[in-house]
Amino acid sequence: MNFCQLVFVGLVISLPSRNWAQDSNSGLETEAFSPASIEFFEREVRPLLLEHCSACHSTSVGKVKGGLSLDSHEAMIAGGESGASIVPGKPDESLLVEAIRRESFEMPPEKPLSEKDRLTIERWVAMGAPWPKTKSIAMDSADWQAQRTASHWAWQPIADVAPPNLAQDDWSMRPLDRFILAGLRAEHLTPVAKADSVALLRRLCFDLTGLPPTLEMSQEFKDLSDATTYERLVEQLLASPQLGVRWGRHWMDLMRYAETLGHEFDYPIHDAWHYRDSVVDAFNDDVSYRDIVEEHIAGDLLEQPRRHPISGVNQSLAATAWWWLGDSVHAPVDIKNDWAVRIDNQIDVFSKTFLGMTVACARCHDHKFDAIGAHDYYGLAGVIESSRREYTNTDPSGRIEKQQDRIVTALTDADARAREILAQVSREKLATWIDNYVTAMRQRAPDKRQTFGANSPLAPLNLLAIEESAEFAEQASGLRDHLQRLRESFESWEQQSELFADCSAGLPAGWAVNGIGHRDFEPEFDWFSNAIPMPSRQGIFSSQSLGPKQSLTLTSPNFNVTRTHVCIKLRGNATQSAVVVSNYFMQEFHNLLFGDLRKPIDQPHDAGWVIHSGNLNKYLGHSAYLSFEDKGKAWFELDSVRFADQPPPEEPHAFAVTLLSEPIASRDDLYNKLLDGLSASLTTALTQEPTSVEVVRALIKAAVETEIPFHELADLREDAQKLQQIDDATPAPTILLTTTEGTAHNAHIALRGNPHALGDEVPRGCLSNVSNAPTASLTSSGRLELAESLVSGQHPLTARVMVNRIWQHMMGRGLVATPDNLGVLGGRPSHPELLDYLSREFVQHDWSMKWLMREIALSQTYQLGSEIGDSQKELDAEGRLWSHRPVRRLSAEALRDAMLLTADSLDERLEGPSVRVFLTDKMTGRGRPGESGPMDGDNRRTTFIEVRRNFLNPFLMAFDFPMPSTSVGDRGASNVPAQALGLLNDPLVSILAERWAESSSHIADARQRARLMLQTAYAREPADAELENCLDFIGDDSDAWNELAHVLFNSKEFSFLK
Amino acid sequence: VHFQYPCQRQSNPTSRREFLSRWGVGFGSVAAAALLQSEAWSQTRTGSTGILDRLHHPAKAKNVIFLYMDGGPSQMDCFDPKPALTKYNGQPFPASMEPTQFDNVGSTLASPWNFNQYGESGLWVSDLFPHIAAQADELCVIRSMTSQFSEHTSANYFLHTGLGIVGRPSMGAWTVYGLGTEAEELPGFVVINGGLTPPGGLDNFASGFLPATYQASIFAPQGDAIANLRSSADDATRIAKKKQLLRSLDSGYLADTGTAGAIESAIANYELAYRMQQSVPEASDLDTETAATRELYGVDHANAPTATFARECLLARRLVERGVRFVELTCPSVGHDRWDQHSNLKKGHTDNALAVDQPIAALIADLRDRGLLEETLIVWAGEFGRTPFAQGADGRDHNPYAFSIWMAGGGVRGGSVYGATDEFGYKAIENPVEMYDFHATLLHLLGIDHERLTFRFGGRDHRLTDVHGHVLHDVIA
């Protein structure tokens, strides 16, 4: 039995819905210990036991080394092979204390406890080893979550703290400086001197925009000692559109942004770049972080979404794409598990990014350390399961809507004419047509005559061509019997089947149209699916009522797959119907194991059945929904959906069945009945009675196909052409990868994370210990409520997490050094009051990220120099207290972008489809794109180069570009030989060096030219010795300028920041 | 099979400071104290020093050569004979079946190859491997290996990193993280890419959350061994002048930053890179090998894939000789599919076996002759096995429920078999081995306790074996 399984035993009894604490048979009474002593245990002792002991001494983890479990007060007294581990009240007689003093046993074996921790445990034993009325150490009472919440800093409300008042403080410039200075003084440290102007200029430029200062900037901002000049620089950079490129990329690290799905074939995530643009623009426009959180989680549900000021793209909607930027496997044998893994990644990214918590750790069991239960994980899983991945067609410019207006007007006109013409088809004309038709048929040999199938309303028409009366009688009777039998057989099938949806009179509840291609407008005629307009069925859902170029997706509510056949009655063309099982979408790329779940729709004339069976059999018991996608060239008209064990038998048409319901006396009898019936249908078709509509459609189709003129309708072709022209002029939609609402439901706890072993249902929600929303009464997915709860201003994590990230990217390290984990195993804030102060101010400044960037940039702390003295070296070598600013290497993107800018090559354009990735010959494997992108990435900033999961850029990777698998809030900054080899020998570096040298080739004077290059590289005046060295290097070799540029790219001053 | 999410394990966290302080001094001028001045992660190294200051227990092996058999060789056609398959050949499979990847289940399919016993141990080997069979007494075959995934990519990630999704460190990265390497001027973890990059891509060889220094360097068996090795200038005088100028610029900056550790380390990296530009071509130059050795491996074999894999094996030996810790070989393309015979089993396995048989046998013999076999662990493994029933008419589908891998050298019990499958070779029934057990054993042979080699990432301690894994003491000599 492994670890997870054992924990599961604990899990079951710790679910909040089970009140096991009430039937605890523990002999220990809570009353035996004071609340204060219990609190001491919870805050000080339990975490120590958990961290240092329980890995080897807890039944909850399956290990009781030496027979000793430290799971409970009793277990400790019961002890192990060496006897009782504690004697309450007597630390000196307690084996446990001996062991941690390392007097007999040496525990923990790897490393002794700190003296403080050891004394804590000794004190606890001396107190009588107080223990609450609970059983297990890891999986204790129902309120373990509350206890953990109470004992960890990050869950506490953000404190209202004022900056400390410091005596003799002529150093601080911004309030935040006072916190830093107070911290330094407490350690008897003084901050180092301010950095010089060159260091500050480069620091600010790279931190805010990810680019080096241009030559012009280094002239203009040569002297930053003047506060006004410095502020002007800060404002200029904050206003630069390049800021969003830098900060958007920071954010994309959290979102594991990529444009392919990885795994075996690295299939594309189409249109992912709209998400990237939405993020870049959000930073540039200083969109409130509150709004950013809301639109990421529920941007599809916002009443006033953010729109791109020029293109009009709905960027709030685009922001919801992040949920789906993970990797994905094709053809998983276990689709439920595959879904669980996808959700796991979504929860991991969501919780690390927005909460700074590792909620995904609670998938198999309650979190081992943090106040996060499995019910929290599955509360979130329910929110995700109730949402869907969909591509949404949008109309950013409003031009599609304008075309829709035009087409509605034109349709209304054309409909009126068509109605009039159809009304003029009199009984006499119909009789003439039948006569002509029969004559025409009789002129053909019997085997050349047109015959209508049993499912056609015109099946009885076959009989009229028969001249010989005995044969007529026999055939008529035969047809009648045949139709009756079909009717019975079909009805029997219908009775055995289950009607899932009748869409013939409007969409049933839970069905949703996504996209822009539909309105509450139903033309009376179908002008587009046939050469001649035909009456259209009213009420039925049609995807092309506003023209074929309109696009949309229609989806059903979720259902449980219980039968082996999903039978869909519809008309349509050039598209597919899909059964989406467990939100699995990869069948778009690969049919394996899912072949029958997507079926072509190819029946433009008569309604018929599309049947999903075969592989569907594998998914009995799974949750699924139906999806019909009309990408703009296709259309469908949905009648009904039935679930059955068998495919439907042939269905005779009701009109024919009724017509032949009584025995046919003679040919004349049939002729009259048919004429009556068709004539009546022509009248009632205009009121859109469904059967009559089908009869008239069949009649018109027959007229066209048999080349027998039905003159009255042919005149409408002109109207049809006009409508077609309007449709042709309709622009294509902008397609966004989005999240939409699915069928709201709660998830069940998957025991041990196993999706095939379900435990209790849990209401949708998130982190029940700090959030009161959402609740079980929700009828939606709960995403909007979730978003609102995070940005209410009361949530302890949302603001802290983001403030810490911004601090980290400005200052090189967060106030909490683990930006994605503020939990027990994460770092503790170096300056907790400062974090709270800034978090409060951040919220009060409308969650403005640029406000915080400015606040930091203008501080003394930000402007500290890098050179340190002895006291800083001794007490703050790593700069944790910010006595100085450690030297930093440029990020992968900043390095590449800096080379481009220096080489006068950078294309600063924002937005748009990504530049294809450059492929070296070492980048091999399945899914390799057929064509490589340009080596220089079209000179675009690195943020705009495609991220293909299986073909990540090796140059960037060497400089810690993260693998897009989960949130990476802190890339680290490695220092490896591959970086040297890359800068020395990568062809891109050589090419850019050549370009750079070329850009100054017009300067004839070598000294002047070398000076310019050094100025460009370092944003400062070169020292004489440097200049001389460079000139010596050049000598009289005019080819050496490329090499000089190459050396400068490789110099540390180029790639590091003070 | 169910995906298991990594659970945390409590252990004493190793702080960066602690870690760095254990790294010793790799370069004359770079004192450990200087390293500590910066937060910069993994300051200088090719990884020549690992995190462990001493082994957890005496090691059986120093190095690993991992022969990755991409696609999933068929156990009952290689090292696990199953006469029952012949008996039921062409008949419906007589036992119950799990869902398969391609869901195209045919009849029971006998092995097209004969099996014979070899060596003093009498180890069973099929006719696919005449050369390896001659080394039978060196092989320790595990017949009861299992995986959790029926799909290549997940199974590859699982085999390489212990988790079925992308993003975790490869076992080679873990090994070098723990032990470092003895090759001062070569990377510690090398993948020799014979041409077939496994499904899931180069991510199989990544360092995940471990510092980038531990990721595999991808070598080619021909031409330039690694990317960006060849100097962009080819004039020696000019190269020397460039180095000189760079050194002078950098020393000025170093002084200007108050001898910042990060700068010092970056400068040291350049010195190392220059040396690698010499040492890597030297290590990968097979022309210095004798004709006899080249012939033994099949470097000039008429079958091109065999010649490619021969170069890989020979290069692997040269790297191990020079102290490279972990070498992984990927398969050459045989013109159709990797060991992934969904159809045409006979031709596919014949061609794949032909490519690797002679070179692998040569590698074993050559290492033994040089006294290196006992300190070099050779592992031969795919990501899963294949079904005993046909896919379609003449293929076999993926099978994670049992497959055969073997180890040789490096302290394993040669000429032995561990574990057993059912009478069809479908499922492991005796001593089933989980991937975690394999990883635990691999680390154990190298002197590492798999439970004690941890790295803190995202606020928790990770291991190669997550919370699982038992050392297979029975396979150890």
Side-chain angles (χ1 to χ4, degrees):
Chain A
M1 193 178 251
N2 67 27
F3 174 87
C4 281
Q5 285 167 332
L6 275 160
V7 168
F8 141 70
V9 175
L11 173 72
V12 173
I13 53 176
S14 71
L15 297 184
S17 52
R18 312 268 182 96
N19 296 320
W20 91 231
Q22 289 169 1
D23 49 63
S24 162
N25 55 8
S26 161
L28 193 71
E29 292 303 317
T30 307
E31 294 71 37
F33 300 108
S34 69
S37 69
I38 295 292
E39 194 192 334
F40 171 71
F41 169 77
E42 293 295 351
R43 293 181 74 110
E44 307 288 333
V45 180
R46 188 192 289 274
L48 287 179
L49 294 176
L50 264 174
E51 185 175 351
H52 298 290
C53 314
S54 70
C56 299
H57 298 287
S58 171
T59 52
S60 68
V61 297
K63 270 196 202 163
V64 280
K65 288 198 173 170
L68 174 63
S69 151
L70 301 179
D71 281 341
S72 67
H73 187 94
E74 304 95 291
M76 282 192 168
I77 291 175
E81 290 156 12
S82 309
S85 68
I86 54 167
V87 181
K90 296 180 180 170
D92 292 341
E93 296 171 26
S94 298
L95 260 183
L96 176 72
V97 174
E98 266 184 37
I100 62 174
R101 287 175 181 166
R102 302 174 99 78
E103 291 169 352
S104 53
F105 294 100
E106 294 189 353
M107 292 290 159
E110 283 166 48
K111 194 177 151 206
L113 292 181
S114 71
E115 186 176 345
K116 177 172 162 281
D117 291 348
R118 179 171 58 75
L119 291 175
T120 299
I121 290 189
E122 291 185 16
R123 189 175 148 217
W124 172 69
V125 176
M127 288 163 74
W131 198 296
K133 193 180 131 185
T134 55
K135 206 171 193 173
S136 157
I137 180 164
M139 304 298 155
D140 43 6
S141 68
D143 60 355
W144 62 270
Q145 200 169 6
Q147 288 166 4
R148 286 187 188 177
T149 303
S151 63
H152 184 66
W153 70 271
W155 303 114
Q156 310 316 312
I158 297 169
D160 190 0
V161 273
N165 284 315
L166 299 171
Q168 295 174 326
D169 174 12
D170 55 1
W171 182 78
S172 300
M173 289 176 67
R174 309 296 310 169
L176 71 88
D177 290 324
R178 286 151 61 185
F179 291 93
I180 297 296
L181 188 60
L184 289 171
R185 286 186 180 176
E187 300 290 330
H188 308 292
L189 271 167
T190 50
V192 301
K194 196 187 228 187
D196 61 57
S197 292
V198 174
L200 286 178
L201 176 63
R202 275 172 56 86
R203 184 185 292 174
L204 272 174
C205 286
F206 276 109
D207 282 347
L208 290 174
T209 67
L211 291 173
T214 60
L215 200 58
E216 294 71 34
M217 287 175 81
S218 61
Q219 298 300 331
E220 186 182 351
F221 297 102
K222 192 178 283 186
D223 179 7
L224 290 175
S225 58
D226 169 47
T228 321
T229 314
Y230 183 84
E231 277 175 40
R232 189 158 52 84
L233 172 63
V234 170
E235 292 306 327
Q236 180 178 324
L237 291 168
L238 283 173
S240 163
Q242 298 305 317
L243 178 139
V245 181
R246 162 81 164 183
W247 287 79
R249 185 55 244 186
H250 288 324
W251 184 258
M252 286 151 72
D253 282 8
L254 300 172
M255 297 285 107
R256 38 84 171 107
Y257 177 84
E259 294 168 62
T260 60
L261 293 159
H263 281 279
E264 189 163 349
F265 296 102
D266 209 24
Y267 294 116
I269 305 177
H270 294 295
D271 303 301
W273 57 271
H274 282 295
Y275 171 78
R276 180 248 288 140
D277 285 354
S278 160
V279 169
V280 169
D281 291 346
F283 278 96
N284 276 339
D285 298 342
D286 197 20
V287 171
S288 161
Y289 182 64
R290 180 194 55 227
D291 295 348
I292 288 181
V293 173
E294 282 197 330
E295 61 184 31
H296 270 72
I297 298 171
D300 54 318
L301 303 173
L302 300 181
E303 279 176 17
Q304 289 186 306
R306 172 167 65 99
R307 289 188 180 279
H308 187 280
I310 297 162
S311 72
V313 166
N314 182 338
Q315 296 193 302
S316 297
L317 184 59
T320 62
W322 76 270
W323 288 102
W324 315 105
L325 295 176
D327 53 340
S328 210
V329 186
H330 79 277
V333 172
D334 182 346
I335 185 70
K336 279 190 181 172
N337 191 55
D338 182 72
W339 195 12
V341 171
R342 280 180 272 135
I343 289 176
D344 184 309
N345 177 256
Q346 290 168 318
I347 290 181
D348 197 34
V349 172
F350 167 81
S351 66
K352 282 177 175 166
T353 298
F354 296 107
L355 304 170
M357 285 287 160
T358 53
V359 175
C361 290
R363 177 177 164 201
C364 309
H365 45 67
D366 290 336
H367 202 289
K368 291 269 291 163
F369 303 100
D370 286 319
I372 300 168
H375 57 275
D376 289 316
Y377 179 95
Y378 290 96
L380 259 180
V383 173
I384 296 171
E385 286 180 15
S386 302
S387 308
R388 290 174 183 170
R389 175 191 194 267
E390 275 195 276
Y391 278 97
T392 300
N393 300 330
T394 65
D395 177 25
S397 62
R399 284 173 56 215
I400 297 176
E401 200 180 340
K402 287 205 184 86
Q403 288 300 98
Q404 290 178 346
D405 290 343
R406 288 184 62 200
I407 213 157
V408 165
T409 309
L411 275 169
T412 310
D413 286 356
D415 275 356
R417 271 189 290 282
R419 195 182 333 117
E420 203 175 316
I421 288 169
L422 208 60
Q424 286 166 6
V425 180
S426 63
R427 184 184 166 88
E428 290 68 35
K429 283 184 179 172
L430 208 51
T432 310
W433 179 76
I434 294 176
D435 294 343
N436 289 344
Y437 177 83
V438 170
T439 309
M441 285 301 126
R442 282 178 173 174
Q443 281 164 2
R444 299 183 188 175
D447 62 335
K448 303 276 186 214
R449 289 175 192 165
Q450 184 186 30
T451 48
F452 296 95
N455 59 354
S456 167
L458 300 184
L461 203 53
N462 298 340
L463 300 170
L464 290 185
I466 303 170
E467 288 173 89
E468 208 271 310
S469 60
E471 192 196 342
F472 174 84
E474 189 189 324
Q475 296 265 3
S477 154
L479 180 62
R480 182 169 175 266
D481 291 349
H482 181 56
L483 292 183
Q484 291 289 356
R485 275 196 303 278
L486 288 180
R487 185 75 241 158
E488 282 161 23
S489 140
F490 183 80
E491 279 172 358
S492 152
W493 175 84
E494 224 173 20
Q495 275 164 14
Q496 283 161 25
S497 71
E498 174 192 339
L499 179 67
F500 172 61
D502 179 357
C503 307
S504 62
L507 290 175
W511 286 71
V513 180
N514 189 33
I516 30 87
H518 197 70
R519 284 187 186 187
D520 282 338
F521 168 76
E522 293 183 274
E524 295 174 349
F525 285 77
D526 164 12
W527 291 86
F528 301 107
S529 60
N530 290 288
I532 287 189
M534 298 194 179
S536 63
R537 277 177 56 183
Q538 294 294 285
I540 198 166
F541 182 86
S542 168
S543 76
Q544 64 165 355
S545 55
L546 298 176
K549 281 191 84 177
Q550 300 295 330
S551 57
L552 54 83
T553 309
L554 174 68
T555 54
S556 80
N558 277 57
F559 59 91
N560 202 10
V561 181
T562 51
R563 313 281 280 269
T564 55
H565 292 66
V566 170
C567 309
I568 303 162
K569 193 174 181 185
L570 46 61
R571 288 201 310 129
N573 197 19
T575 183
Q576 293 180 316
S577 77
V579 183
V580 181
V581 179
S582 297
N583 277 13
Y584 175 81
F585 58 89
M586 294 293 281
Q587 70 265 42
E588 179 187 342
F589 304 107
H590 209 293
N591 264 338
L592 186 57
L593 302 185
F594 294 86
D596 305 299
L597 276 67
R598 283 171 87 89
K599 285 276 192 174
I601 298 175
D602 184 16
Q603 35 205 9
H605 300 297
D606 302 316
W609 294 95
V610 167
I611 300 154
H612 299 276
S613 57
N615 272 312
L616 186 69
N617 199 26
K618 291 192 175 77
Y619 306 108
L620 291 172
H622 290 58
S623 176
Y625 64 88
L626 303 174
S627 172
F628 305 87
E629 210 174 356
D630 174 351
K631 287 185 177 168
K633 284 174 186 156
W635 64 274
F636 60 86
E637 189 179 281
L638 189 63
D639 184 294
S640 57
V641 182
R642 287 181 172 274
F643 302 152
D645 300 324
Q646 302 288 332
E650 191 174 17
E651 183 184 3
H653 198 273
F655 177 80
V657 174
T658 310
L659 201 76
L660 299 181
S661 59
E662 298 296 325
I664 301 297
S666 64
R667 192 183 167 282
D668 284 351
D669 182 24
L670 178 65
Y671 181 91
N672 288 330
K673 279 181 170 162
L674 198 54
L675 187 55
D676 287 349
L678 293 177
S679 179
S681 291
L682 264 175
T683 313
T684 47
L686 294 177
T687 63
Q688 282 83 29
E689 192 277 313
T691 308
S692 310
V693 167
E694 284 170 11
V695 172
V696 174
R697 292 179 73 101
L699 196 57
I700 295 170
K701 184 171 163 242
V704 172
E705 285 186 0
T706 52
E707 295 172 26
I708 295 165
F710 205 67
H711 308 285
E712 289 81 0
L713 283 167
D715 299 340
L716 296 173
R717 283 189 178 134
E718 208 171 300
D719 284 287
Q721 263 171 8
K722 188 183 162 199
L723 289 163
Q724 195 59 55
Q725 279 164 4
I726 300 175
D727 186 64
D728 289 344
T730 301
T734 298
I735 300 168
L736 302 177
L737 174 60
T738 61
T739 304
T740 59
E741 287 286 274
T743 303
H745 86 125
N746 289 329
H748 288 251
I749 288 182
L751 303 174
R752 304 189 313 284
N754 175 356
H756 301 281
L758 296 186
D760 290 346
E761 178 180 331
V762 287
R764 299 192 291 292
C766 172
L767 295 186
S768 46
N769 58 334
V770 290
S771 169
N772 49 8
T775 67
S777 63
L778 276 177
T779 54
S780 65
S781 69
R783 280 184 293 119
L784 189 59
E785 293 76 5
L786 172 61
E788 284 168 353
S789 76
L790 292 184
V791 294
S792 67
Q794 305 305 312
H795 201 285
L797 297 170
T798 321
R800 275 186 181 131
V801 168
M802 193 57 190
V803 164
N804 190 53
R805 293 191 193 284
I806 292 171
W807 181 281
Q808 172 205 345
H809 291 306
M810 294 292 290
M811 299 293 296
R813 194 188 58 246
L815 289 164
V816 180
T818 54
D820 304 329
N821 188 359
L822 273 53
V824 169
L825 290 188
R828 296 182 76 83
S830 58
H831 296 73
E833 294 85 8
L834 174 55
L835 180 59
D836 281 7
Y837 169 79
L838 288 177
S839 299
R840 253 177 197 272
E841 290 289 311
F842 179 57
V843 172
Q844 276 167 20
H845 285 85
D846 198 31
W847 308 71
S848 160
M849 298 188 288
K850 282 192 181 176
W851 171 83
L852 184 53
M853 292 176 202
R854 180 183 296 111
E855 201 63 20
I856 295 172
L858 295 179
S859 70
Q860 281 283 32
T861 310
Y862 180 82
Q863 299 176 55
L864 284 168
S866 301
E867 274 190 78
I868 59 176
D870 289 342
S871 63
Q872 291 92 5
K873 193 173 271 183
E874 187 185 338
L875 295 167
D876 190 30
E878 294 174 12
R880 296 186 64 79
L881 298 169
W882 281 285
S883 61
H884 62 100
R885 291 286 304 265
V887 168
R888 285 172 296 152
R889 198 200 70 217
L890 297 182
S891 70
E893 295 91 334
L895 181 56
R896 178 182 166 277
D897 295 352
M899 288 193 290
L900 281 169
L901 182 74
T902 306
D904 201 19
S905 289
L906 185 69
D907 178 344
E908 294 195 350
R909 261 181 310 147
L910 311 182
E911 305 177 349
S914 297
V915 182
R916 288 197 321 268
V917 69
F918 173 69
L919 299 167
T920 70
D921 57 4
K922 300 258 193 269
M923 294 163 76
T924 55
R926 285 189 179 159
R928 188 180 204 265
E931 239 181 294
S932 170
M935 183 190 287
D936 63 8
D938 282 346
N939 303 311
R940 297 286 300 277
R941 290 199 66 181
T942 310
T943 299
F944 300 104
I945 293 177
E946 184 184 39
V947 183
R948 297 191 81 89
R949 280 201 154 80
N950 291 9
F951 300 90
L952 298 171
N953 180 313
F955 182 84
L956 300 177
M957 291 282 281
F959 289 93
D960 301 303
F961 184 88
M963 281 172 73
S965 58
T966 185
S967 300
V968 179
D970 178 15
R971 288 183 179 187
S974 68
N975 205 336
V976 295
Q979 294 164 354
L981 288 171
L983 278 169
L984 282 169
N985 301 329
D986 192 294
L988 174 66
V989 182
S990 301
I991 285 172
L992 293 180
E994 278 168 34
R995 289 195 202 162
W996 181 16
E998 177 62 28
S999 74
S1000 63
S1001 61
H1002 59 283
I1003 301 174
D1005 180 65
R1007 179 173 296 270
Q1008 208 184 330
R1009 188 173 175 189
R1011 176 186 297 275
L1012 179 72
M1013 287 179 72
L1014 284 160
Q1015 284 170 334
T1016 312
Y1018 302 144
R1020 63 171 170 84
E1021 283 303 313
D1024 289 345
E1026 282 174 325
L1027 198 52
E1028 292 307 326
N1029 274 340
C1030 293
L1031 286 169
D1032 282 353
F1033 176 79
I1034 297 293
D1036 49 12
D1037 180 359
S1038 61
D1039 290 342
W1041 292 100
N1042 297 346
E1043 303 293 352
L1044 176 63
H1046 196 253
V1047 169
L1048 293 178
F1049 278 153
N1050 274 276
S1051 67
K1052 306 305 160 284
E1053 187 168 356
F1054 188 82
S1055 55
F1056 279 82
L1057 286 180
K1058 288 202 282 184
Chain B
V1 284
H2 304 122
F3 177 90
Q4 297 279 355
Y5 196 77
C7 306
Q8 318 84 323
R9 163 182 175 272
Q10 304 114 31
S11 76
N12 291 321
T14 302
S15 71
R16 286 180 176 196
R17 174 177 284 268
E18 230 182 309
F19 179 45
L20 291 173
S21 70
R22 287 186 194 178
W23 270 26
V25 181
F27 303 95
S29 65
V30 188
L35 292 177
L36 294 177
Q37 285 176 8
S38 166
E39 274 288 288
W41 208 184
S42 67
Q43 295 288 338
T44 60
R45 315 296 313 226
T46 45
S48 62
T49 310
I51 187 181
L52 303 178
D53 44 11
R54 62 192 150 88
L55 296 175
H56 294 137
H57 51 260
K60 299 271 187 180
K62 278 168 65 180
N63 311 304
V64 178
I65 297 177
F66 185 78
L67 307 167
Y68 170 55
M69 296 294 114
D70 188 351
S74 168
Q75 63 275 24
M76 44 270 161
D77 299 309
C78 296
F79 297 99
D80 194 3
K82 292 295 167 186
L85 294 180
T86 309
K87 182 175 160 196
Y88 292 101
N89 188 33
Q91 298 176 31
F93 189 63
S96 73
M97 291 178 282
E98 306 287 342
T100 60
Q101 177 72 74
F102 281 80
D103 194 32
N104 179 19
V105 173
S107 317
T108 308
L109 184 64
S111 175
W113 292 279
N114 291 318
F115 277 78
N116 286 296
Q117 288 181 285
Y118 292 91
E120 290 177 16
S121 56
L123 194 82
W124 288 94
V125 182
S126 86
D127 292 351
L128 274 173
F129 303 109
H131 292 86
I132 293 175
Q135 307 294 334
D137 288 340
E138 303 288 2
L139 309 190
C140 170
V141 177
I142 297 175
R143 286 182 178 162
S144 53
M145 195 65 213
T146 63
S147 180
Q148 293 180 357
F149 302 93
S150 299
E151 179 268 339
H152 288 293
T153 314
S154 300
N156 278 334
Y157 290 145
F158 191 43
L159 169 68
H160 282 90
T161 74
L163 190 71
I165 53 177
V166 70
R168 303 248 309 186
S170 195
M171 54 184 154
W174 277 110
T175 302
V176 182
Y177 162 68
L179 299 179
T181 171
E182 291 172 20
E184 275 289 325
E185 290 158 20
L186 290 170
F189 175 22
V190 170
V191 169
I192 306 175
N193 193 345
L196 291 181
T197 302
L202 301 177
D203 296 345
N204 281 293
F205 317 124
S207 55
F209 43 69
L210 292 177
T213 189
Y214 299 115
Q215 75 195 7
S217 295
I218 311 296
F219 277 46
Q222 256 147 331
D224 282 346
I226 59 174
N228 293 328
L229 189 67
R230 192 184 290 262
S231 179
S232 57
D234 46 12
D235 172 347
T237 319
R238 175 166 289 174
I239 291 172
K241 278 181 72 180
K242 283 179 74 176
K243 283 185 192 173
Q244 192 190 357
L245 178 62
L246 184 57
R247 282 181 185 130
S248 89
L249 290 170
D250 284 349
S251 66
Y253 187 61
L254 180 66
D256 200 34
T257 59
T259 322
I263 306 299
E264 204 168 15
S265 308
I267 292 170
N269 263 328
Y270 271 74
E271 299 302 324
L272 180 57
Y274 298 142
R275 295 204 297 276
M276 284 175 73
Q277 289 184 304
Q278 305 299 319
S279 57
V280 172
E282 186 279 323
S284 50
D285 181 6
L286 306 186
D287 292 343
T288 57
E289 295 287 336
T290 65
T293 303
R294 290 169 62 93
E295 196 183 333
L296 178 71
Y297 281 83
V299 170
D300 304 307
H301 200 283
N303 183 39
T306 311
T308 299
F309 203 71
R311 296 184 71 89
E312 294 183 66
C313 284
L314 185 49
L315 179 52
R317 192 215 78 211
R318 291 176 62 89
L319 293 175
V320 163
E321 267 179 331
R322 283 160 178 75
V324 174
R325 185 69 67 188
F326 199 108
V327 183
E328 174 163 352
L329 274 52
T330 69
C331 290
S333 170
V334 296
H336 37 107
D337 213 345
R338 49 198 84 207
W339 290 97
D340 190 26
Q341 267 66 63
H342 291 284
S343 63
N344 216 343
L345 171 71
K346 182 129 194 230
K347 176 164 174 52
H349 264 41
T350 299
D351 290 352
N352 278 292
L354 178 64
V356 303
D357 179 43
Q358 181 185 338
I360 290 175
L363 177 65
I364 297 173
D366 194 18
L367 285 174
R368 186 176 55 226
D369 291 350
R370 290 166 194 262
L372 290 169
L373 185 59
E374 59 186 29
E375 64 186 41
T376 303
L377 176 67
I378 302 178
V379 181
W380 181 98
E383 68 270 38
F384 41 50
R386 309 207 77 81
T387 53
F389 43 84
Q391 173 180 349
D394 60 356
R396 296 193 192 275
D397 208 333
H398 305 167
N399 178 9
Y401 306 103
F403 60 109
S404 300
I405 69 170
W406 58 254
M407 300 192 273
V412 300
R413 186 173 289 176
S416 72
V417 169
Y418 181 83
T421 52
D422 60 26
E423 64 173 323
F424 309 108
Y426 186 29
K427 293 182 175 179
I429 54 166
E430 184 189 306
N431 293 328
V433 178
E434 290 192 283
M435 201 58 81
Y436 315 111
D437 304 335
F438 162 65
H439 289 146
T441 307
L442 181 123
L443 293 179
H444 179 87
L445 288 166
L446 292 162
I448 301 172
D449 176 353
H450 68 102
E451 295 190 6
R452 288 160 67 194
L453 182 66
T454 64
F455 186 86
R456 179 158 288 193
F457 167 72
R460 55 195 183 85
D461 287 336
H462 293 259
R463 333 189 310 223
L464 174 57
T465 52
D466 193 8
V467 297
H468 314 276
H470 302 281
V471 174
L472 307 173
H473 290 283
D474 289 349
V475 307
I476 299 169

